[in-house]
Amino acid sequence: MNSMVQAGSMGVPFVAVRGLMGTDILKNRPDLQVITNPFHPEEKVVVAQPIRPDVAVFHALKADRWGNTLTPGLRDDLMMARAARRVVVTAEEIRDKELTIRDGVDNTFLPAIDVDVVVHVPWGAHPCACGLLYNLDDAHLREYIEAAQEEKKFKNYLERYVGGVKNHQEYLQRVGVINPLRAKKINV
Amino acid sequence: MKEKLTSLEEAARLVKDGYLLGLTSSLENAPMAFLRELVRLGSKNLRVAALTGGSLNVDLLIGAGAVAEYEACHHSLGGYGPAPNFQRALRGGSLKMKDNT
């Protein structure tokens, strides 16, 4: 998967993947093909197409108005952003001052050139965690899991927290995160 | 440099029905507000690629009936166990899963 997204980020037409030969995955993935290694004809190798999302979405600790972005932790965000045709960033905080790679440290820095759209969304990861800013909302997660056990109950959950609220602000009021600005600032 | 600030709704409108959506999040820093906005806009037939796997992010979209095809290495709610909407959709055959280990 990594290599397929990497291939997307590099603009190459396909990528050779090790580790799938002889597995049942090949039986269920007609989009993966087995070819002869052109450099070593005695070897067979699996090739896969690049993954190029139409839109990739990231939730960030902070972004500036031009798209420079810090996403929490070190992960594959930059690679996915480069593989995608469009990139949306939602951020806990928007800076008027330009962010640079030096602001990154232990986080991932997405440069403005890789970001198309920026949205200011405090508590945008709720009920998931966001870096060191806030943790998982354990109570809400349990409520979600309980509701998701049955289709009908999950419809009610969606009505209560998604369809039945006008926007993210109303959602926060409904889940009880009353003051979105109480998210602590962090030093990076 | 060009200013790129916009609203959540405008950003969510960039995702058309049938689009391939790329995600890297898990129970950590998932763009949940954005995904809820997608559901609110009635997104359909999305394809999702989650690197390396998915979690509450994709489970919400699946539970809302927005996902037709899903490619990932794994999918669960981490320490909270299996993801119920994902499992039900997979067993019910309404979701095409591409295992990408």
Side-chain angles (χ1 to χ4, degrees):
Chain A
M1 178 109 196
N2 260 65
S3 52
M4 289 163 77
V5 176
Q6 189 177 21
S9 75
M10 293 167 69
V12 297
F14 59 84
V15 61
V17 191
R18 284 217 189 273
L20 290 175
M21 287 301 290
T23 69
D24 281 351
I25 287 175
L26 292 180
K27 290 182 197 158
N28 297 298
R29 292 284 310 252
D31 54 327
L32 299 173
Q33 293 194 20
V34 180
I35 64 161
T36 301
N37 180 342
F39 303 105
H40 299 283
E42 70 283 2
E43 188 190 34
K44 297 285 184 199
V45 62
V46 178
V47 291
Q49 296 178 79
I51 291 176
R52 292 214 61 195
D54 294 295
V55 178
V57 190
F58 305 91
H59 187 63
L61 295 168
K62 55 181 81 171
D64 65 27
R65 329 173 56 84
W66 308 279
N68 296 299
T69 298
L70 295 184
T71 59
L74 296 170
R75 46 211 297 155
D76 298 314
D77 293 0
L78 184 57
M79 193 168 78
M80 181 63 98
R82 291 201 166 149
R85 298 172 206 279
R86 287 278 187 87
V87 173
V88 172
V89 163
T90 60
E92 295 288 327
E93 186 189 335
I94 303 293
R95 284 282 179 92
D96 290 324
K97 186 172 169 289
E98 186 181 340
L99 288 166
T100 72
I101 198 159
R102 279 191 215 97
D103 297 304
V105 195
D106 293 335
N107 299 299
T108 298
F109 179 76
L110 305 183
I113 196 169
D114 291 315
V115 176
D116 296 276
V117 166
V118 177
V119 191
H120 186 210
V121 191
W123 295 97
H126 185 276
C128 295
C130 183
L132 299 173
L133 279 178
Y134 49 87
N135 209 338
L136 287 169
D137 186 336
D138 179 71
H140 190 90
L141 242 105
R142 289 178 194 281
E143 188 182 339
Y144 176 100
I145 291 164
E146 172 59 26
Q149 300 301 320
E150 286 171 37
E151 200 175 326
K152 208 177 136 205
K153 282 200 306 195
F154 196 67
K155 278 218 161 69
N156 293 337
Y157 173 92
L158 287 174
E159 181 51 33
R160 178 163 170 72
Y161 292 112
V162 185
V165 293
K166 247 195 337 249
N167 51 35
H168 181 59
Q169 213 57 34
E170 272 196 29
Y171 165 83
L172 293 179
Q173 283 164 10
R174 186 148 292 185
V175 295
V177 181
I178 294 155
N179 179 8
L181 298 176
R182 79 170 190 226
K184 274 184 297 185
K185 298 218 169 178
I186 52 160
N187 301 310
V188 289
Chain B
M1 276 191 291
K2 189 181 150 202
E3 296 223 359
K4 294 166 186 168
L5 283 174
T6 188
S7 68
L8 200 52
E9 193 180 352
E10 285 304 312
R13 284 190 193 283
L14 292 175
V15 182
K16 312 284 185 213
D17 290 353
Y19 264 21
L20 177 63
L21 187 65
L23 297 169
T24 53
S25 50
S26 57
L27 283 177
E28 291 282 330
N29 68 292
M32 294 307 293
F34 181 90
L35 300 177
R36 282 188 292 267
E37 190 63 35
L38 280 187
V39 174
R40 226 172 272 132
L41 290 174
S43 297
K44 285 272 172 296
N45 294 320
L46 295 179
R47 293 171 297 130
V48 180
L51 179 65
T52 51
S55 184
L56 195 73
N57 49 8
V58 190
D59 199 70
L60 178 91
L61 292 180
I62 292 171
V67 183
E69 188 180 298
Y70 178 26
E71 180 159 8
C73 297
H74 58 87
H75 186 98
S76 81
L77 299 183
Y80 288 85
N85 288 321
F86 165 75
Q87 298 225 332
R88 192 170 53 251
L90 201 60
R91 290 189 179 123
S94 62
L95 177 70
K96 185 183 172 199
M97 182 71 195
K98 290 160 89 177
D99 184 341
N100 193 331
T101 301

